[in-house]
Amino acid sequence: MDIGDIAALANDHGLILRGGIRVEGDEGVPDCPSGEAAAMLLLFGQAGSAIWPHFSGSPEYRDGEADPLDRWSTRVGNAVAQQLGGMALFPFEGPPWYPFGQWAQRAEGLRPSPLGILMHPAYGLWHAYRFAVALPSTSILDDGLPITPSAPRPVTHACDSCVGAPCLQACPVDAFQAGGYDVAACAAYLRAHDDAPCHQLGCLARAACPESRETRYEPVHCQFHMRQFLASLP
């Protein structure tokens, strides 16, 4: 199976083959089902709401049980990994947690925005990583996906030329500061204000970013993530 076949396989689920990296050093990646050491990781994720029709029509979304997107990702990721002869790894598995943020930065040459979300030159902040597939060979990298941890693709970072950082001005409780994200303040505001636009539009800080507005999640997609965020808190 070549890169085109793998990309098409991802597209069948509304996903994108985001990139690939060689496994280096002790990254905590288990051996592949064949017993061979993992030599390569392929990263799969989403951009915009292309995933939404596939996920919202799934049994996981409709059964009313907890963590539907994680369960959908597990089913799809394991199916993709089986077709590729590899093993699926997920960002929600842990502890210990797999360093998906580091893998993503190596694979696509991205850097974080002030919100902590990686800024993508085409998708802005409207993207995510759903799973990785570990494989025992690097032949796909060598033949058609030449992205290596030592020489990531150079990517212009939109935040470097941003004026006024509107993302940091939009949150009604200033949850995003230089010291990080104040989850408690965000959650308290959302629980105390059922009519807050955050519930309908999603995170206002994220929505305030002027980059790649055409890839912004659909309202129903944003609302889903906000419900899941609140449900995940103690």
Side-chain angles (χ1 to χ4, degrees):
M1 189 175 289
D2 62 20
I3 286 296
D5 295 328
I6 298 173
L9 179 61
N11 289 342
D12 287 342
H13 302 284
L15 297 171
I16 301 169
L17 174 59
R18 300 291 303 264
I21 59 172
R22 291 176 172 81
V23 176
E24 290 192 340
D26 182 13
E27 298 191 272
V29 178
D31 290 342
C32 295
S34 63
E36 300 172 90
M40 173 182 65
L41 294 174
L42 296 180
L43 273 64
F44 294 82
Q46 67 191 66
S49 287
I51 190 178
W52 187 252
H54 300 266
F55 167 59
S56 63
S58 71
E60 292 85 0
Y61 180 79
R62 296 176 179 274
D63 64 15
E65 299 296 326
D67 304 316
L69 186 54
D70 288 353
R71 291 186 289 115
W72 180 88
S73 298
T74 298
R75 176 171 60 83
V76 171
N78 285 332
V80 170
Q82 184 175 24
Q83 289 183 265
L84 298 180
M87 175 178 52
L89 308 174
F90 302 94
F92 45 81
E93 287 183 326
W97 312 100
Y98 293 117
F100 266 78
Q102 297 176 29
W103 293 345
Q105 290 180 68
R106 285 163 51 188
E108 297 192 83
L110 307 182
R111 289 190 284 127
S113 69
L115 305 184
I117 304 170
L118 295 177
M119 173 60 71
H120 192 279
Y123 312 136
L125 302 180
W126 303 102
H127 65 103
Y129 298 85
R130 300 259 61 94
F131 57 86
V133 173
L135 296 169
S137 170
T138 63
S139 61
I140 293 174
L141 288 176
D142 297 333
D143 294 342
L145 199 63
I147 307 170
T148 69
S150 58
R153 290 183 294 182
V155 173
T156 300
H157 198 284
C159 299
D160 292 342
S161 57
C162 181
V163 177
C167 63
L168 297 181
Q169 314 304 320
C171 178
V173 290
D174 296 324
F176 296 98
Q177 300 294 332
Y181 171 40
D182 190 339
V183 178
C186 175
Y189 176 82
L190 292 169
R191 287 169 172 160
H193 298 83
D194 291 339
D195 59 346
C198 319
H199 290 286
Q200 296 300 316
L201 303 176
C203 174
L204 299 185
R206 190 178 194 177
C209 177
E211 289 297 313
S212 304
R213 291 187 180 276
E214 67 278 5
T215 61
R216 179 174 171 172
Y217 295 168
E218 297 173 2
V220 65
H221 192 175
C222 292
Q223 293 160 19
F224 166 79
H225 281 296
M226 186 59 71
R227 292 194 303 271
Q228 293 300 303
F229 166 66
L230 285 173
S232 70
L233 299 176

